[in-house]
Amino acid sequence: MSDGKLGVWMGALLLAVALPVWAQDPPPDESGVTGEEALEETPGEGGGVDLRFGVEAKAHFRQSDGNRFRVNFPFTPAMLPPGGAAFEETVDEGSHFEVSVLTLFVDAVWSEGLAAHAKIDAIDLYDRNPTSGDKKLDVDEAWIRFGRESDPGLLPARGGAYLKVGKFPKFERQDDRHLESYGLLSTAFNRFEDTGVELGLNLGRHLYLKGSATQGNPLFIRDPNALAGDNGTDDFLGANPSPELKSGIVILYDAEVEDLDTDGDPEIGAGLGLRFGDDAGRNAVDLLVWGYRRTLADTVDLEGTFYGGDLDLLRGPGENDPRFRFPGLSGDDKQEVGANLWVYLGGLTFFGQFVDQEIASLPRTGWEGELAWRFELPLVWAVAGRQLFPSIAPAVRYSRIDNDFRNPQFTPSPSLNWDWEKLDAGVRFAVIEGIDVTVEYAANRFILGSGAEAENDELLSTLRWRM
Amino acid sequence: MAHVKRFLPGALLVLGALISHGASSEELRGKVELLARGGKGPARGADVRRAVVSFEPVSRQPVRPPAEPFVLATRQKQFVPRVLAVPRGSRVRFPNEDPILHNVFSVSPDNVFDLGLYRKSKGRERTFDKPGLVRVFCNVHQGMVGYLLVLDTPFFTAPAADGSFVLTGLPGGHGKLTVWHEQGEAWTQDVRLPAGPVTARLEVSRAGAPPHLDKRGNPYTSRDSYRDQ
C-alpha cells in the first residue's frame, strides 16, 4: 500500500476514534412535534448492549419473457453454443418458483450514538453475478456506527455527526423501495453495498453533508431483471458452451464488492442535502446532491466468472485490439454526479434520482422515479391478535438510461449502449405483520443498434416473511 | 346518542355539585363556531361536536369524580370516543374491543402512562389526578389518536351538531369559559354570570391530528417495514 493510500485509511481510523466524543454531546432541551418527551429510554441507554436478531426469507413466482438478440462477436466455432450462433438472451426464461434469499439480521445498540449492524444472505439468487457461479453466502452488510444517523426525510433532534465503518449501503441509495425489482438506475449505480468509511454531518436539523471513502464497486454487467445472467462462467471454458441460464440482456453496473481490498485507490463520495418535515417523518422533503469519483482498476477478479471487471471489461479481449474496445474509451477515471429527491406525504412516497456518469470517458445519464401509496385497510379479520391484510401499497416506477457512447466494432454484449427504459408497476399486500406479497410487472424497452425497438418483460411475485 | 353517553357522567357530576352546594343555579348558553383558516367562513369538515366547553368559576368548586370509571375504548383501530372530558381525579378504563393487540400510552406532561400491549378485554384503568390535555396513542397503530381532557371543574359539556351548548348549575359571579377543539387553539373568555348567550369562534388551524412519535420518542416504523436492509 502506498503512503498516500495508507494516509487515507489511517485518517478514517482517527476519525472513527475522535467522532464519538463529538457525536455524543448532551441534547438541548428541544421537544418533539407533540411537545412531549419520550416515555421509555432508547434501547441500550440503560447500559450494556441491546442485541436483536431478525430473519427474512423470500420466495417468488417469476415469469420471464424469452427474447434473444444476435451477437456479432467473432467467436471461434468451439466457443459458439450448439447451433453455431451467439446471442444475448433472457436469463432463465419461462415460469419458475424459486426461493431467492434467506437473510439473518443482527443489530447491536450500545447507545443512541453507538450501534452495529450485520446482514448475512444465504442463497442470494438475485444478487449473484454470475447467477449460477457466484457466492451463495454473502455478508451484505457489516458495519459499526459512531454517532446518530438520520434516515432520509427524518429531521435529527439536533446537529451532530456520525461515522460508519465497514460494509454498508451507499448513502444515496433508495432505502425504502416499494417493489421487489430494481429500476435501471438503482441497478446501475447503487444496488450493492460498498466497503469503507462514511461520514455524516448534520449542520443543524435541515442541512447535512455526507462523505465517504470506500473501496468502490467493480464495474461489471448484468441483466436488470431479477436474475443477473451467466457471463464468463466455467461453462464457457469448455467446447460449444450452452449455459442453462443464458447471458441476460445486460447493462453496465456497479457490482458487488467481493473482498476487502485496501490496495486500490479509494472511491471518494460527497453529498450535500437539505431536508424539511415534521419530526415524525410523516411529511417530509429531502433533496440530496452527490458525487463519486474513483480510478478504475486494470481488472477486478470476480467470483464465478473469468471476465475481469473495470477496464478489462471495457477493453475487451486481446491487448487493446481496437476492434474490441469501446471507441471512446480514454483514461481510467470513473465519476458520477447525481441528485435525489424524497417526498413523504403521509402514506404517499416519491423517490426520484438523476445520475450523470462518465466511465473512462464513456458518458451516460439516467433518471428514475418511484411513486407509491401505502394505506391502511379497515380491520376485518385477525389472527393471533394481529390484523390480516392491514395495508396495501401500489407503486409505479419509471427509469431510463441514455448511453452516449458507441459500442466496439465487435462485442459479445451489444446491449451495453442501448438506450433503455423500464416501467415497473405493482402492488404490495401486507398479509399479516411480518408477511407480505408483492406482485409486479417489469416492462423493459430498448433501442437496438439498428434503431428498432425491442422488449424483455418480466412478471415477478414475491412472498416475503420476516420476523 | 354516543355524545349523550360521553357526557352523561359529566352531567351527573354537575348535578351532584348542584345538590352538594345548593346555591348554584345559573345557566350559560352559547354557540361554538368553527371558522376556516383566516376566519373566512365556516370550516368545512371540522366536527364541532368534538369540542369541549368548560366553565371554571373564580370561586373554586369541589370536583368529585364519579364512582364508575369513564371509558375510552379502542375500536376499529380508533379511540372511541375520540375526545373525552373528565373531571380531575377520575378513573378511565381503556377496553380493547378489537380482535388485535393494542397499546395505550401517553407522553403528555403530568399524565405520562403506558398500559402495555393487550388483547381484546375489559382493558386497564388509570386515575387522572392532574388537569390538562392528555394525548393518547397506540404504539402499534400510528393512526390512533385520542384526546382526554382532565378538567379542574365539574362544569363542562360538548356542543350539539349546530354548535349550541348549555351549561347549567353554574355558580354566579366571575369565571373563565374555555372552548377546546383538537384542530385549533383553545378559545377563552372571562364571563360574569348571569350572562347572555356567548359565541365562541375558533379558527381551524390544523387539518387533523399532528404527526406524533412512538412511546420511545422515535418515528413509527411503517417506513422501516419496507426498508431494504
Side-chain angles (χ1 to χ4, degrees):
Chain A
M1 190 187 299
S2 71
D3 287 348
K5 292 166 193 164
L6 184 66
V8 170
W9 291 104
M10 287 302 290
L13 188 62
L14 274 174
L15 271 172
V17 174
L19 265 171
V21 179
W22 182 23
Q24 295 188 55
D25 287 342
D29 183 17
E30 186 172 2
S31 58
V33 76
T34 62
E36 297 160 350
E37 299 301 323
L39 185 64
E40 294 184 356
E41 60 188 14
T42 303
E45 280 183 358
V49 59
D50 180 36
L51 202 59
R52 295 178 190 178
F53 294 88
V55 292
E56 182 179 86
K58 290 179 185 175
H60 310 268
F61 170 71
R62 175 177 56 82
Q63 191 168 36
S64 306
D65 287 357
N67 294 290
R68 62 183 195 173
F69 304 92
R70 189 80 180 254
V71 168
N72 70 353
F73 194 80
F75 292 110
T76 64
M79 294 166 73
L80 288 170
F87 298 91
E88 277 193 282
E89 295 183 63
T90 299
V91 191
D92 199 20
E93 70 170 85
S95 300
H96 303 272
F97 287 99
E98 53 209 13
V99 176
S100 74
V101 70
L102 298 170
T103 302
L104 170 68
F105 301 91
V106 185
D107 282 284
V109 180
W110 287 268
S111 71
E112 196 184 353
L114 182 59
H117 174 77
K119 177 175 179 254
I120 300 160
D121 285 345
I123 306 176
D124 214 15
L125 182 64
Y126 291 176
D127 282 348
R128 281 191 235 152
N129 191 8
T131 300
S132 64
D134 198 2
K135 288 181 285 194
K136 296 176 178 62
L137 187 66
D138 180 46
V139 179
D140 240 24
E141 295 181 42
W143 49 258
I144 186 166
R145 187 185 64 221
F146 307 94
R148 289 169 290 268
E149 181 184 8
S150 289
D151 290 334
L154 283 178
L155 296 180
R158 55 193 175 277
Y162 74 87
L163 181 81
K164 200 153 56 176
V165 181
K167 188 177 182 187
F168 46 78
K170 298 176 91 94
F171 60 74
E172 83 284 6
R173 183 170 90 172
Q174 181 188 12
D175 66 346
D176 56 350
R177 295 178 308 110
H178 292 79
L179 296 172
E180 192 57 34
S181 63
Y182 289 79
L184 292 171
L185 260 66
S186 43
T187 296
F189 299 112
N190 36 49
R191 175 166 174 163
F192 286 99
E193 297 75 14
D194 202 352
T195 304
V197 295
E198 179 182 301
L199 173 69
L201 285 173
N202 290 319
L203 304 172
R205 304 189 70 200
H206 303 289
L207 188 66
Y208 63 96
L209 300 170
K210 301 273 189 183
S212 63
T214 55
Q215 190 169 315
N217 301 82
L219 183 74
F220 203 61
I221 54 174
R222 71 158 286 155
D223 190 295
N225 279 341
L227 292 163
D230 277 351
N231 293 283
T233 57
D234 288 347
D235 290 328
F236 291 93
L237 296 174
N240 301 117
S242 182
E244 184 182 341
L245 295 181
K246 310 304 180 189
S247 64
I249 300 152
V250 297
I251 63 172
L252 289 167
Y253 88 120
D254 292 335
E256 190 176 3
V257 167
E258 295 280 1
D259 299 299
L260 186 62
D261 174 14
T262 57
D263 287 341
D265 288 326
E267 178 174 81
I268 302 299
L272 170 66
L274 192 61
R275 59 191 161 213
F276 296 96
D278 59 50
D279 285 355
R282 293 276 296 165
N283 304 294
V285 176
D286 195 325
L287 177 67
L288 172 70
V289 292
W290 51 270
Y292 285 96
R293 185 169 192 173
R294 78 174 172 94
T295 302
L296 291 160
D298 279 337
T299 189
V300 179
D301 291 333
L302 299 168
E303 181 88 12
T305 175
F306 59 80
Y307 289 1
D310 276 11
L311 289 171
D312 199 357
L313 185 81
L314 303 173
R315 287 171 179 155
E319 289 298 319
N320 280 325
D321 187 328
R323 295 174 303 158
F324 302 137
R325 56 179 286 147
F326 282 85
L329 191 68
S330 172
D332 57 6
D333 196 32
K334 176 176 178 286
Q335 55 183 323
E336 295 100 35
V337 292
N340 286 15
L341 176 66
W342 292 267
V343 179
Y344 296 98
L345 292 171
L348 194 71
T349 304
F350 173 79
F351 172 79
Q353 187 171 76
F354 169 80
V355 181
D356 187 342
Q357 183 184 51
E358 274 204 13
I359 312 166
S361 301
L362 304 181
R364 60 177 180 163
T365 57
W367 65 275
E368 178 168 323
E370 183 203 83
L371 185 67
W373 183 31
R374 179 177 182 268
F375 54 93
E376 302 281 321
L377 295 176
L379 174 58
V380 180
W381 298 291
V383 175
R386 282 157 173 86
Q387 183 179 355
L388 268 178
F389 310 116
S391 68
I392 188 169
V396 62
R397 178 178 56 223
Y398 176 81
S399 55
R400 67 175 296 138
I401 286 186
D402 296 303
N403 297 300
D404 297 320
F405 57 86
R406 288 186 295 125
N407 271 340
Q409 182 183 355
F410 299 107
T411 173
S413 306
S415 59
L416 290 182
N417 88 328
W418 294 348
D419 288 341
W420 197 306
E421 63 180 2
K422 185 169 188 263
L423 180 66
D424 302 286
V427 62
R428 175 168 283 168
F429 303 93
V431 178
I432 197 168
E433 185 183 331
I435 298 177
D436 56 49
V437 172
T438 308
V439 181
E440 61 197 284
Y441 190 80
N444 289 280
R445 302 280 182 273
F446 31 80
I447 299 172
L448 310 179
S450 64
E453 282 191 24
E455 56 194 46
N456 189 44
D457 297 351
E458 185 170 75
L459 173 72
L460 184 66
S461 303
T462 304
L463 171 65
R464 181 172 70 159
W465 169 77
R466 190 174 204 179
M467 66 169 290
Chain B
M1 193 62 188
H3 291 280
V4 174
K5 281 184 181 172
R6 175 153 61 106
F7 285 92
L8 187 59
L12 289 173
L13 263 178
V14 173
L15 191 61
L18 261 175
I19 293 167
S20 62
H21 290 84
S24 303
S25 60
E26 298 295 342
E27 181 179 278
L28 182 61
R29 290 179 176 272
K31 188 168 186 181
V32 176
E33 292 179 4
L34 298 179
L35 304 178
R37 199 181 290 262
K40 297 170 185 170
R44 290 180 184 173
D47 189 349
V48 72
R49 293 172 301 174
R50 287 184 178 169
V52 175
V53 182
S54 60
F55 181 77
E56 209 171 312
V58 170
S59 57
R60 290 276 171 174
Q61 301 294 304
V63 178
R64 293 199 177 87
E68 287 299 306
F70 289 85
V71 172
L72 186 61
T74 54
R75 186 189 305 156
Q76 285 294 317
K77 297 199 287 182
Q78 300 290 332
F79 284 108
V80 179
R82 185 177 171 94
V83 179
L84 177 66
V86 302
R88 176 169 52 84
S90 296
R91 287 184 297 142
V92 179
R93 191 161 55 82
F94 296 89
N96 180 2
E97 299 179 6
D98 281 340
I100 57 175
L101 293 163
H102 282 301
N103 161 268
V104 179
F105 79 96
S106 178
V107 289
S108 294
D110 294 334
N111 281 298
V112 174
F113 70 93
D114 179 11
L115 300 184
L117 201 63
Y118 53 96
R119 293 172 182 274
K120 186 173 188 174
S121 65
K122 288 183 177 177
R124 299 168 186 175
E125 273 186 26
R126 189 178 187 277
T127 301
F128 292 87
D129 292 319
K130 306 245 174 97
L133 173 64
V134 186
R135 288 159 51 100
V136 182
F137 305 121
C138 169
N139 204 51
V140 183
H141 303 101
Q142 184 175 13
M144 291 178 63
V145 179
Y147 297 95
L148 189 59
L149 261 79
V150 184
L151 300 169
D152 202 12
T153 174
F155 308 111
F156 57 86
T157 189
D162 65 353
S164 64
F165 67 86
V166 185
L167 286 166
T168 57
L170 310 179
H174 283 284
K176 185 170 73 175
L177 183 67
T178 301
V179 180
W180 175 92
H181 192 279
E182 63 169 296
Q183 291 181 260
E185 297 303 314
W187 176 96
T188 61
Q189 182 172 305
D190 289 330
V191 174
R192 182 190 172 120
L193 297 176
V198 176
T199 300
R201 293 187 175 89
L202 270 79
E203 189 177 316
V204 170
S205 54
R206 292 187 285 268
H212 63 277
L213 304 173
D214 71 9
K215 66 182 185 181
R216 289 195 171 99
N218 297 320
Y220 277 73
T221 54
S222 59
R223 280 164 66 176
D224 292 347
S225 68
Y226 295 93
R227 189 159 298 286
D228 191 31
Q229 57 181 308

